[in-house]
């Protein structure tokens, strides 16, 4: 279970939100909605522990994430605005490296299958700097297929994706929920075929 209780976020002289509470259990999908600059990315950073709240607490499995960091990070996949891909490595090498950093093996056949599913079968070995923005986003999303379950925190995962890739993303989110995992995502588009609960930051300003 991932739980946020009474979160308050301040950036500079501006309070983005306060009193924000939410709870996710296995099978839950949560869509964070808000205008640009409303604090969607800031909330994701609080949920994954990259930033600290002015007030409130984030808990994983009933314990504060700061005290349960190792278990939380083993279960966590975070994809930010930037795809966190090494431009000198291929998409295949990036997937292997990401899994290794997370302490998980990435069998070659599984990694190749994930990239092919996302339409990258023809550029498995190209350096990521040679890929388009949409292709890099596809490569990042392919990494989710290698780490099902747990909790996914996704910042604008639909950015730069075409309709085909969006359908794949919807299917991947649905499968994550069906497997008992959970996902929190920001997007200006509807994702997960309307299955996700909505959290509107305007309700906490």
């Amino acid at each position: 279970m991932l739980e946020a209780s009474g979160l308050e976020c301040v950036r500079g002289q501006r309070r983005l939100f306060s009193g924000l509470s939410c709870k996710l259990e296995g099978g839950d999908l949560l869509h964070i909605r808000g205008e640009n600059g409303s604090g969607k990315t800031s909330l994701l950073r609080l949920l994954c522990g990259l930033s600290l709240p002015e007030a409130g607490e984030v808990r994983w499995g009933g314990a504060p994430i700061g005290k349960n960091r190792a278990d939380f990070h083993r279960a966590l996949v975070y994809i930010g605005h930037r795809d966190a891909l090494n431009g000198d490595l291929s998409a295949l090498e990036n997937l292997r490296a990401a899994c290794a950093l997370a302490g998980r093996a990435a069998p070659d056949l599984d990694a190749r299958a994930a990239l092919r599913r996302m339409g990258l079968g023809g550029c498995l070995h190209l350096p990521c700097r040679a890929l388009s923005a949409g292709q890099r986003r596809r490569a990042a999303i392919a990494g989710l297929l290698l780490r099902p379950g747990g909790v996914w925190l996704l910042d604008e995962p639909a950015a730069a994706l075409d309709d085909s890739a969006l359908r794949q993303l919807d299917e991947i989110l649905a499968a994550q929920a069906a497997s008992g995992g959970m996902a929190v995502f920001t997007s200006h588009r509807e994702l997960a075929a309307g299955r996700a609960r909505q959290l509107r930051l305007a309700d906490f300003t």
Side-chain angles (χ1 to χ4, degrees):
M1 181 174 66
L2 179 66
E3 184 176 10
S5 177
L7 294 185
E8 179 178 342
C9 180
V10 175
R11 289 293 176 266
Q13 301 300 313
R14 182 184 171 207
R15 180 179 289 106
L16 297 179
F17 52 80
S18 62
L20 189 154
S21 297
C22 61
K23 181 169 67 175
L24 286 91
E25 298 178 332
D28 286 343
L29 302 175
L30 180 65
H31 185 174
I32 300 170
R33 307 298 293 264
E35 301 297 324
N36 291 340
S38 62
K40 299 187 298 296
T41 294
S42 295
L43 176 55
L44 287 184
R45 290 177 61 84
L46 293 178
L47 292 177
C48 69
L50 288 175
S51 300
L52 297 176
E54 291 292 315
E57 185 176 62
V58 179
R59 296 185 286 271
W60 172 250
I65 58 175
K67 294 182 179 179
N68 202 12
R69 193 173 302 276
D71 286 343
F72 181 51
H73 284 179
R74 276 193 293 270
L76 175 67
V77 180
Y78 174 70
I79 297 180
H81 270 295
R82 296 182 179 181
D83 298 316
L85 300 173
N86 186 324
D88 293 328
L89 300 180
S90 69
L92 188 58
E93 290 167 332
N94 269 287
L95 259 61
R96 292 172 180 155
C99 286
L101 286 172
R104 298 192 178 202
D108 187 71
L109 287 177
D110 292 347
R112 288 172 183 268
L115 290 166
R116 289 193 181 99
R117 177 172 173 179
M118 293 306 300
L120 296 173
C123 45
L124 294 178
H125 301 291
L126 285 178
C128 281
R129 64 172 178 273
L131 303 180
S132 69
Q135 287 174 321
R136 290 194 298 272
R137 202 60 171 172
R138 284 171 179 254
I141 291 169
L144 297 175
L145 294 166
L146 301 178
R147 297 185 61 188
V151 56
W152 296 348
L153 302 179
L154 313 176
D155 200 356
E156 296 292 344
L161 295 184
D162 58 19
D163 289 344
S164 173
L166 283 170
R167 287 192 294 272
Q168 290 289 348
L169 176 58
D170 276 351
E171 291 176 5
I172 290 168
L173 287 169
Q176 168 74 345
S179 71
M182 60 192 82
V184 182
F185 57 88
T186 71
S187 181
H188 293 291
R189 308 184 65 154
E190 291 297 333
L191 295 176
R195 294 185 179 93
R197 290 190 287 120
Q198 306 278 312
L199 186 152
R200 299 182 184 277
L201 291 183
D203 296 338
F204 300 95
T205 55

